[in-house]
């Protein structure tokens, strides 16, 4: 029987300098193929609001939407761990967060939940992890706050914001977080955070030093209406979809992805 990836596996992969591969999926067919191609973690991201529902941000996504997609994905995965996003406004306090995390795990069958934010989420992360909920944090560009951030921009370029991100990452680890996504972060900052943490960092537009990488599936197969700078289309050179997923997985593992053109300096 295939052994499922767990948060312990992720931590030992970091210790052994083995890159962690994540990709989003929202349905059974893609989930099965992605699992078969050896992706370690499948993210049922709230990016589904954009790539499945056609919104221009992740803000309209509801807990029920994530559950609907997550419960289609999880039964297809023999090896991959499935991470589900807590959507916008579903974790404004520890009690609300743990209730919604329980729904993602009990109804959506997810193995770990992800939420966005640093300092403001410490109590929530502590509450959830103390009650046995595995948590991945998300720092840098946090798409749920796009209207507050004023657009999808690189984060942590100034000395103060970089310092704050490093402090937040360490505090989230102390609060019990099992991993942290770093989105649109300059390479040198992502590198510092990766070296300072014992838990894995998962980069998206954060350079190849991160312990793992994540992409949105539709970006990775070149069918998104907007392709952010940090993505690459692997459905090229006559590959079919399983081959494209395999190529992405190999490129993360051999560190040929991300290349410099997908990074912020
Ligand atoms: O929702 C999502 O797909 C994400 C990734 C961009 C990390 O959060």
């Amino acid at each position: 029987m295939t052994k499922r990836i767990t948060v312990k596996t992720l931590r030992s992969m970091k210790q052994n300098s083995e890159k962690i591969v994540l990709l989003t999926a929202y349905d059974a067919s893609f989930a099965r193929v992605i699992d078969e191609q050896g992706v370690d973690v499948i993210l049922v991201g709230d990016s589904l609001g954009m790539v499945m529902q056609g919104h221009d941000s992740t803000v309209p996504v509801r807990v029920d939407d994530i559950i609907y997609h997550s419960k289609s994905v999880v039964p297809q995965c023999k090896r991959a761990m499935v991470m589900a996003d807590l959507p916008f406004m579903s974790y404004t306090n520890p009690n609300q967060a743990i209730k919604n995390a329980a729904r993602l795990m009990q109804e959506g069958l997810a193995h770990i939940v992800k939420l966005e934010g640093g300092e403001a989420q410490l109590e929530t992360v502590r509450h959830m992890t103390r009650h046995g909920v595995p948590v991945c944090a998300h720092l840098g560009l946090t798409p749920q706050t796009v209207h507050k951030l004023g657009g999808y921009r690189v984060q942590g370029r100034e000395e103060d914001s970089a310092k704050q991100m490093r402090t937040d990452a360490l505090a989230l680890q102390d609060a019990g977080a099992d991993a942290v996504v770093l989105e649109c972060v300059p390479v040198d900052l992502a590198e510092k955070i990766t070296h300072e943490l014992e838990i894995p960092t998962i980069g998206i537009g954060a350079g190849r030093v991160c312990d793992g990488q994540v992409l949105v599936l539709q970006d990775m197969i070149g069918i998104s209406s907007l392709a952010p700078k940090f993505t690459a289309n692997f459905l090229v050179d006559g590959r079919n979809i399983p081959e494209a997923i395999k190529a992405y997985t190999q490129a993360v593992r051999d560190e040929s992805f991300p290349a410099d053109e997908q990074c912020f300096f």
Side-chain angles (χ1 to χ4, degrees):
M1 202 173 126
T2 314
K3 235 180 136 192
R4 173 146 353 250
I5 301 282
T6 67
V7 288
K8 275 199 166 174
T9 324
L10 300 189
R11 217 187 255 230
S12 68
M13 286 173 84
K14 173 169 182 138
Q15 282 158 1
N16 297 329
S17 304
E18 284 172 50
K19 294 287 179 188
I20 303 163
V21 186
L22 290 83
L23 189 59
T24 68
Y26 319 94
D27 68 45
S29 308
F30 273 109
R32 182 177 47 76
V33 175
I34 292 170
D35 184 61
E36 284 168 359
Q37 296 309 319
V39 168
D40 302 305
V41 182
I42 294 184
L43 170 63
V44 182
D46 58 0
S47 49
L48 69 85
M50 300 169 88
V51 299
M52 303 297 291
Q53 299 174 335
H55 299 298
D56 63 359
S57 80
T58 60
V59 171
V61 176
R62 316 295 291 256
V63 175
D64 284 343
D65 298 328
I66 302 281
I67 290 172
Y68 173 86
H69 289 279
S70 182
K71 72 183 183 203
S72 307
V73 164
V74 178
Q76 303 300 320
C77 300
K78 293 194 169 70
R79 177 179 173 275
M81 180 167 80
V82 178
M83 181 183 289
D85 264 341
L86 278 163
F88 182 61
M89 287 296 145
S90 70
Y91 52 100
T92 59
N93 61 62
N95 285 338
Q96 184 201 21
I98 205 160
K99 265 195 201 150
N100 285 321
R103 290 197 65 207
L104 296 188
M105 296 179 78
Q106 293 181 317
E107 298 173 49
L109 310 173
H111 306 119
I112 177 169
V113 303
K114 177 164 80 61
L115 52 71
E116 297 182 3
E119 206 178 1
Q121 299 305 339
L122 294 180
E123 210 189 321
T124 291
V125 172
R126 204 169 292 116
H127 186 59
M128 292 203 292
T129 55
R130 273 195 188 147
H131 286 86
V133 178
V135 174
C136 178
H138 186 150
L139 295 173
L141 172 59
T142 47
Q144 291 171 13
T145 55
V146 63
H147 299 308
K148 184 85 177 146
L149 292 173
Y152 296 101
R153 308 166 197 280
V154 181
Q155 303 293 312
R157 281 212 190 279
E158 307 77 23
E159 206 178 307
D160 283 0
S161 57
K163 202 169 153 213
Q164 185 63 51
M165 213 185 293
R166 288 169 72 181
T167 307
D168 285 351
L170 279 167
L172 285 160
Q173 172 175 276
D174 289 347
D178 296 286
V180 55
V181 166
L182 299 176
E183 180 163 354
C184 290
V185 171
V187 167
D188 61 340
L189 175 57
E191 190 169 346
K192 284 189 185 115
I193 294 175
T194 299
H195 291 318
E196 282 163 0
L197 295 186
E198 283 166 29
I199 57 171
T201 58
I202 309 298
I204 174 160
R208 54 188 159 269
V209 181
C210 292
D211 302 302
Q213 301 291 330
V214 59
L215 278 183
V216 170
L217 170 66
Q218 282 74 0
D219 292 342
M220 199 278 299
I221 58 173
I223 59 162
S224 298
S225 49
L226 284 176
K229 170 184 159 75
F230 53 75
T231 68
N233 179 4
F234 285 86
L235 192 58
V236 288
D237 302 333
R239 288 178 191 141
N240 60 28
I241 284 176
E243 287 164 352
I245 296 165
K246 183 97 213 148
Y248 163 65
T249 304
Q250 276 167 355
V252 173
R253 296 211 170 115
D254 68 22
E255 296 179 40
S256 53
F257 178 81
D260 284 354
E261 71 251 33
Q262 286 119 12
C263 296
F264 302 102
F265 294 94

